[in-house]
Amino acid sequence: MSVILADPPPPVDNTWATPAIAVPVTVVLALAVLYLVRSARASTTTADGFLLADRRIGPVQNALAVASAPLMYSTMYIITGHIALSGYDAILLMTAFTMGTMLALLLFAGPVRNVGGYTLGDLLAVRTRERPARIASAVLTLLTYVMLTVIMMAAIAFIFNRWFGVDALVGLVLPVFVVGLITVGYVYLGGMLGVTRILVFKLVLSVVVVGVLTAWVLARFDLNLFSLLERAEANAAPVPSGSDLLGPGRLFGEGATTLVHLSKLFAIAVGVAAIPFLFMRNFAVTSGRDARRSTGWASMIIVGFYQCLSVVGLGAVAILGRDNIGVIKAHRDISFPKLADELGGPVMVGSLAGVAVLTIVGVFAPLLHSAVTTVTKDLNVIRGRRLDPAAELRDIKRNTLIIGVGSVLLAVVMLPVRTHIFIPTSIDIAGAVVLPIVVYALFWRRFNTRGLQWTVYGGLALTAFLVLFSNGVSGEPDAIFPDRNFKFVDVEPALITVPVGFLLGYLGSITSRERDDAAFAEMQVRSLTGAVVTGPPRPAAVDDEDRDGRQDRAPSPVS
């Protein structure tokens, strides 16, 4: 493991891996997913069908997909071990994901769908000059795509080490290639509808296996939740603060650590729903009303699912004891398989191994789809390319293969690099940049091109600076440079960059002479009603950066 991964987990006595069961289960799940995406091929005969499933994703299907999209190895398997170790505080950290979904429901799920379009650039181009809007959309979407794809591919190697018992170099690199390329094939065959079905399938299987484990844990204590909690508290590993497992303090203790962990809560709550590949799902729903309904239902699903994970996490320490769970950060993901082995034996462990691989497929597929959509729509506008429908569909499918295969190869090359900070950095960027520009574009009359540019590039620069001097890069044993210490930022950068992002958007807008009240009126009409505003393009307001008088407004996209 250490010859291929820069940050391999410390060795453990892997007594639970059952490749004889895990491999066939994974193959069966892969074939089931192939059937689902092949059944969606009829929707990929047009560009709109491939990119948005012709905007026919209903509220129930979208609710399941929205609830499924953020579920990955870290937010399902690792968080269980985190709960077993940190108890109440880890559960509190998990609630931030639900808060993020509620933020999307309250702020932009319905309005974004009503405005219509394909990408973040379509939304921004209603309020700002089109070329800067498209460039900003492409930069944000592709940057988060690269970071999240690299970390997803690295997670495959971890999964095959933990759940399949693979240690050899070829045995770890080969699954990254195979799983990555198969996922590219899924997206190529099924488009948006196929990706949606993958997400629904992933959620259903995750709910089933976690539900079964929850029932087994409760059955061990005769369905008495209080007995479970008492045993978990009695078996909890001691911590220097002396805090109980079921009370606050293990993470959110006194002093500087409180602010550090609260900043993580804040970053997740404001950033998750604004990650571009999650944000762009809103465009494929049948209507703004259905987008709101599906987001609300997704929130309820996530709450129930994480309640079950809380029971499983506490059940791990209650049943296995403090000496048999992952007691250090790098071992938090072993609590889940050990509990599954204790309760359900090799069959349950093998089933969970297959679902673990599916969690990666269910994140990489929508990520790739969002990147293809951005390249096809935003970059073509930037380059001035106008394709007929047949040529655009060929372009989409070619982009799927080029981007997909290229990103898998990049991820393999990046395996020796410590990339664990890419997930929190992506969330920080979404909160500091995407959230402010979407909120301003939808709700603030004065927002303009300079406000967009200051938010995007100022927010990215500040986030990069703070990440560079954070504990993810130096000063910690699991940092990129563990032997050096030039950090001065312990808190999650989003705690600083989110308010600064809003401030930059405000300052940039008010210092520019560009103002288009008609564009804001159009945005209000479209975001509230879904009506398409037709007619000649509006004349662009001239500002300090656009004195040559170019007409650079986007025509209203069909919604």
Side-chain angles (χ1 to χ4, degrees):
M1 186 78 165
S2 60
V3 297
I4 179 62
L5 291 176
D7 191 22
V12 295
D13 185 14
N14 191 337
T15 60
W16 60 84
T18 54
I21 297 175
V23 172
V25 168
T26 304
V27 171
V28 169
L29 293 181
L31 293 175
V33 172
L34 177 62
Y35 172 79
L36 291 174
V37 296
R38 280 177 60 86
S39 67
R41 282 188 304 169
S43 69
T44 64
T45 56
T46 65
D48 270 11
F50 190 99
L51 298 179
L52 295 177
D54 295 312
R55 306 184 198 272
R56 293 180 180 177
I57 304 295
V60 175
Q61 195 173 18
N62 193 61
L64 297 174
V66 170
S68 173
L71 290 182
M72 54 188 76
Y73 189 66
S74 59
T75 58
M76 180 174 167
Y77 288 73
I78 295 178
I79 193 68
T80 304
H82 199 18
I83 293 170
L85 192 60
S86 302
Y88 174 88
D89 284 355
I91 294 172
L92 184 61
L93 188 65
M94 195 167 55
T95 61
F97 291 95
T98 306
M99 294 166 61
T101 310
M102 291 303 300
L103 184 67
L105 170 65
L106 295 172
L107 284 181
F108 52 71
V112 165
R113 172 57 189 91
N114 283 336
V115 171
Y118 299 84
T119 70
L120 181 62
D122 288 306
L123 177 74
L124 298 174
V126 177
R127 298 295 315 281
T128 68
R129 290 184 288 118
E130 182 164 33
R131 183 177 174 82
R134 299 290 183 176
I135 293 174
S137 173
V139 168
L140 293 172
T141 304
L142 295 179
L143 180 61
T144 54
Y145 167 74
V146 170
M147 288 193 293
L148 291 175
T149 296
V150 167
I151 198 66
M152 288 303 107
M153 295 297 102
I156 294 174
F158 278 82
I159 289 170
F160 272 80
N161 174 256
R162 290 295 201 220
W163 294 84
F164 294 79
V166 177
D167 285 308
L169 172 62
V170 175
L172 291 173
V173 174
L174 186 61
V176 176
F177 271 116
V178 173
V179 175
L181 295 180
I182 287 176
T183 306
V184 173
Y186 289 157
V187 177
Y188 183 88
L189 287 174
M192 171 59 86
L193 184 57
V195 168
T196 301
R197 290 180 177 177
I198 292 173
L199 290 170
V200 172
F201 186 55
K202 180 183 88 172
L203 180 70
V204 170
L205 287 181
S206 299
V207 169
V208 168
V209 296
V210 171
V212 169
L213 275 176
T214 303
W216 264 335
V217 168
L218 292 175
R220 279 290 187 99
F221 297 92
D222 299 323
L223 304 183
N224 189 330
L225 185 60
F226 294 103
S227 296
L228 166 62
L229 297 177
E230 289 174 0
R231 181 73 63 81
E233 184 66 76
N235 288 351
V239 293
S241 66
S243 301
D244 294 335
L245 184 71
L246 303 180
R250 291 194 159 219
L251 293 177
F252 303 97
E254 297 180 356
T257 57
T258 300
L259 186 60
V260 171
H261 290 286
L262 285 176
S263 69
K264 293 179 180 179
L265 279 174
F266 175 76
I268 294 170
V270 302
V272 167
I275 294 176
F277 88 96
L278 299 176
F279 174 89
M280 289 166 63
R281 280 211 60 84
N282 293 299
F283 293 121
V285 191
T286 48
S287 67
R289 180 172 180 268
D290 286 343
R292 288 192 302 274
R293 292 167 63 198
S294 61
T295 306
W297 294 343
S299 300
M300 291 185 280
I301 294 170
I302 292 171
V303 168
F305 184 79
Y306 281 147
Q307 284 179 334
C308 290
L309 279 185
S310 300
V311 173
V312 173
L314 294 173
V317 66
I319 295 172
L320 300 175
R322 71 185 67 175
D323 297 327
N324 292 312
I325 62 171
V327 294
I328 62 174
K329 183 178 180 180
H331 286 169
R332 286 178 300 183
D333 62 334
I334 72 172
S335 300
F336 205 150
K338 280 192 169 186
L339 179 66
D341 191 35
E342 173 70 22
L343 296 177
V347 174
M348 176 55 75
V349 174
S351 300
L352 282 169
V355 175
V357 176
L358 186 58
T359 61
I360 304 301
V361 174
V363 176
F364 180 39
L367 275 171
L368 175 58
H369 186 272
S370 69
V372 170
T373 304
T374 290
V375 169
T376 303
K377 292 297 182 179
D378 290 331
L379 292 190
N380 279 347
V381 171
I382 294 169
R383 297 165 60 190
R385 296 180 68 203
R386 296 186 180 276
L387 305 175
D388 61 73
E392 185 176 37
L393 182 60
R394 291 194 298 271
D395 194 44
I396 289 168
K397 295 202 169 186
R398 181 170 59 251
N399 289 338
T400 302
L401 295 177
I402 294 173
I403 297 171
V405 174
S407 57
V408 171
L409 293 174
L410 173 64
V412 171
V413 173
M414 291 285 287
L415 283 176
V417 181
R418 292 183 173 180
T419 55
H420 59 283
I421 63 171
F422 281 2
I423 290 181
T425 302
S426 299
I427 295 174
D428 292 339
I429 290 173
V433 180
V434 180
L435 182 63
I437 61 178
V438 170
V439 170
Y440 280 151
L442 289 172
F443 304 115
W444 188 33
R445 180 184 300 274
R446 193 67 177 83
F447 186 61
N448 55 39
T449 305
R450 185 186 288 179
L452 167 69
Q453 293 173 321
W454 282 27
T455 302
V456 171
Y457 303 111
L460 287 175
L462 181 59
T463 301
F465 175 79
L466 293 178
V467 169
L468 177 62
F469 293 99
S470 71
N471 53 18
V473 176
S474 70
E476 297 291 339
D478 60 347
I480 296 176
F481 303 107
D483 298 328
R484 308 179 109 185
N485 188 0
F486 47 84
K487 69 169 184 176
F488 64 84
V489 179
D490 283 322
V491 298
E492 196 67 33
L495 189 64
I496 300 170
T497 57
V498 171
V500 170
F502 276 98
L503 178 62
L504 289 172
Y506 172 77
L507 293 176
S509 296
I510 65 172
T511 57
S512 170
R513 292 187 296 175
E514 178 186 2
R515 178 164 180 156
D516 194 339
D517 291 338
F520 180 65
E522 178 183 336
M523 177 66 82
Q524 286 187 307
V525 171
R526 290 171 58 178
S527 65
L528 293 174
T529 68
V532 179
V533 180
T534 59
R538 301 182 308 277
V542 179
D543 72 346
D544 297 336
E545 290 83 20
D546 194 28
R547 291 186 179 276
D548 59 0
R550 287 172 295 171
Q551 304 288 318
D552 193 22
R553 289 287 184 192
S556 302
V558 178
S559 56

